[in-house]
Amino acid sequence: MAKLIGGVDEAGRGPWAGPVVAACVIIPDSVNLPILKESKSISPQAREKLYEKIKRKTIWGIGMASNREIDEAGIVKATEMAIKRAIENMPQKPDFLLIDGKDNFSLPIKYKTIVKGDEKVDAIAAASILAKVWRDRLMMLFSDMYQKYRFEKHKAYGTKLHRKMLIRFGVSPLHRLSFEPVSMVKRNENSILLHVCCGPCATSVVERLKNRFNNITLFFYNPNIHPRKEYERRLDEVRKLAEKWNLKLIEGKYDIRRWFKMTHIYRHEPERGKRCTVCYAMRMFETVKLAEEMHVPYFTTTLTVSPLKDEKCIFHIGEVLSGKFGVNFLEEDFKKRDGFKKSVELSKKLNMYRQNYCGCIYSLMERKHGYRRSTVEKGSIS
Ligand code: SF4
């Protein structure tokens, strides 16, 4: 009697969520199924058709290992479990296996691995199609259960969209905790990146956030501050606060030239005008970008502590950036509930330096001399 050869392949080793699926296929000698020819550069619709054909004409089995089993045993062992289950689920067992790839497995049937086997052996190509379509269909079902993650679009692979949804909504029961960036998102689930404009404003905000977040990282990014000496002075106060309260501080770049370039056309605007909108947006943009890189699910800013800042404008910027990057914006008017008053009291208690102008040269001139902003030109700053 002729030996029954089973082709084996899997789908879903790399994704950040869901099971790994393995398939084993025996193509009987009596069946003419030139999968290799038919499966080349195949469209999703054609693959679905081929899937049905394979199921009708071959001896096959499907097996899976869950995301929890992947976390516990590792992806190679979990793939082995899925292969064993696929064989168990076959109505007739193969005598020998041809397996795609080069991993070593402990299996009850002798086997040989073939790198790129799905491009060389019909039975492996058939198993590859079965495993892939099976898993894709499963992910479509999961996408109904966990709609916000959009599994129907990315099937849990590491796409930009999946990363965005993962950071925004956190880890689902379907995610693989042993995979990056899932584990990083899990670790950070109670974290926030706080844009800090100065030490005094940070005091009452950190006090308030401490009740809600286990992990608060300060981000000092304020290229608007002029002159450099003043910038260093404010930064120094934030450094001291971070050290005193044991907080992580990230210091952004002092790219004042970029700030001038972006705000120059609005130099004649009054405070709370368009120049301030650009100034808020520039600082909040860098904050959300960093939060996304760090896989931190929340960001916000101390800017709303000041009674002179336009909180509605800040909230609008936060909402737009949140939509773009997928990081949640904590929309809170920190001056409310005595937030500003507390920041004054706390900074006094901590003996902190508190500035008497907002930060840019225009606000400095106005405070010092009541200068018309139009007299301050871009070229005069170094
Ligand atoms: S007044 Fe303050 S918020 Fe407005 S542009 Fe100057 S530094 Fe930025």
Side-chain angles (χ1 to χ4, degrees):
M1 212 171 74
K3 266 192 170 184
L4 291 177
I5 309 290
V8 175
D9 202 1
E10 49 68 31
R13 277 173 77 124
W16 300 341
V20 59
V21 175
C24 183
V25 174
I26 299 169
I27 304 178
D29 288 344
S30 55
V31 172
N32 180 24
L33 198 59
I35 301 282
L36 284 174
K37 255 191 223 160
E38 291 185 39
S39 66
K40 267 188 193 144
S41 53
I42 197 169
S43 70
Q45 290 84 348
R47 194 186 294 120
E48 290 272 339
K49 269 191 188 165
L50 209 46
Y51 168 85
E52 297 300 339
K53 202 165 157 186
I54 293 164
K55 276 173 66 185
R56 270 197 327 272
K57 296 193 162 191
T58 69
I59 303 162
W60 57 274
I62 296 274
M64 289 186 285
S66 72
N67 56 315
R68 288 290 159 265
E69 287 173 316
I70 294 167
D71 287 337
E72 277 159 27
I75 189 64
V76 177
K77 270 282 160 204
T79 305
E80 182 184 293
M81 285 179 208
I83 295 173
K84 280 180 182 167
R85 288 167 190 166
I87 296 165
E88 279 160 22
N89 289 334
M90 293 177 83
Q92 208 177 340
K93 308 289 176 253
D95 302 306
F96 190 77
L97 300 173
L98 294 174
I99 303 178
D100 183 69
K102 54 180 178 179
D103 282 321
N104 284 322
F105 299 115
S106 164
L107 297 172
I109 297 171
K110 280 193 175 161
Y111 68 90
K112 183 181 162 198
T113 54
I114 302 174
V115 175
K116 293 195 177 162
D118 59 339
E119 294 173 12
K120 297 170 187 165
V121 179
D122 278 319
I124 299 180
S128 157
I129 288 167
L130 273 200
K132 175 154 178 47
V133 175
W134 188 283
R135 188 177 184 281
D136 283 358
R137 288 185 178 182
L138 198 64
M139 292 317 292
M140 293 302 280
L141 286 178
F142 285 137
S143 74
D144 281 342
M145 290 165 70
Y146 301 96
Q147 289 180 5
K148 52 194 185 182
Y149 292 95
R150 313 290 308 274
F151 287 127
E152 76 283 5
K153 293 264 180 206
H154 48 70
K155 313 289 186 303
Y157 280 89
T159 64
K160 241 181 157 179
L161 176 68
H162 190 185
R163 182 184 298 270
K164 203 167 153 179
M165 298 300 123
L166 181 63
I167 296 171
R168 167 165 286 192
F169 300 114
V171 172
S172 77
L174 213 59
H175 279 99
R176 301 176 182 177
L177 295 172
S178 53
F179 277 42
E180 289 295 2
V182 181
S183 54
M184 210 191 303
V185 171
K186 182 77 186 158
R187 276 198 305 278
N188 285 341
E189 67 185 354
N190 233 324
S191 306
I192 188 163
L193 184 65
L194 174 64
H195 166 256
V196 169
C197 59
C198 64
C201 288
T203 54
S204 63
V205 175
V206 171
E207 282 280 278
R208 197 177 291 185
L209 293 180
K210 268 197 307 203
N211 303 323
R212 269 189 275 170
F213 295 92
N214 295 340
N215 188 5
I216 303 167
T217 301
L218 310 182
F219 179 45
F220 189 87
Y221 177 71
N222 301 293
N224 52 314
I225 302 172
H226 180 86
R228 176 129 207 168
K229 217 169 141 196
E230 174 70 15
Y231 173 85
E232 294 294 345
R233 197 170 181 191
R234 294 190 198 184
L235 173 57
D236 221 42
E237 288 302 306
V238 177
R239 281 185 189 133
K240 280 189 235 163
L241 185 76
E243 206 184 318
K244 202 173 191 71
W245 286 1
N246 202 18
L247 297 164
K248 187 176 172 198
L249 167 66
I250 298 173
E251 296 176 16
K253 236 172 102 185
Y254 183 53
D255 38 9
I256 194 159
R257 287 186 185 279
R258 189 171 153 235
W259 185 86
F260 271 110
K261 218 170 162 183
M262 290 182 73
T263 57
H264 186 61
I265 54 163
Y266 299 125
R267 63 194 181 282
H268 306 298
E269 289 272 332
E271 195 164 339
R272 286 174 76 101
K274 286 182 186 157
R275 189 188 68 241
C276 295
T277 304
V278 175
C279 182
Y280 305 150
M282 184 178 171
R283 290 184 277 168
M284 289 168 73
F285 180 86
E286 289 302 315
T287 310
V288 70
K289 207 162 72 134
L290 181 61
E292 190 210 24
E293 277 165 31
M294 292 167 68
H295 298 88
V296 168
Y298 283 91
F299 80 104
T300 194
T301 172
T302 58
L303 285 169
T304 60
V305 172
S306 164
L308 295 171
K309 301 286 186 298
D310 182 350
E311 67 281 352
K312 284 203 181 80
C313 174
I314 291 167
F315 292 165
H316 179 67
I317 295 167
E319 196 188 316
V320 171
L321 291 174
S322 174
K324 183 172 163 49
F325 286 86
V327 181
N328 302 287
F329 175 63
L330 182 75
E331 186 183 294
E332 185 151 341
D333 190 352
F334 289 112
K335 70 177 122 335
K336 284 201 171 151
R337 291 190 283 133
D338 281 338
F340 177 67
K341 199 173 147 216
K342 276 184 195 150
S343 82
V344 175
E345 287 165 4
L346 273 167
S347 51
K348 260 193 195 153
K349 199 171 147 194
L350 294 166
N351 200 22
M352 292 178 106
Y353 160 68
R354 177 180 276 275
Q355 64 277 0
N356 62 4
Y357 68 103
C358 185
C360 65
I361 191 163
Y362 311 111
S363 58
L364 173 64
M365 290 300 189
E366 194 166 77
R367 178 60 58 136
K368 263 188 174 172
H369 314 292
Y371 263 28
R372 273 170 57 82
R373 291 176 185 84
S374 57
T375 60
V376 185
E377 291 301 324
K378 181 187 169 194
S380 67
I381 308 303
S382 58

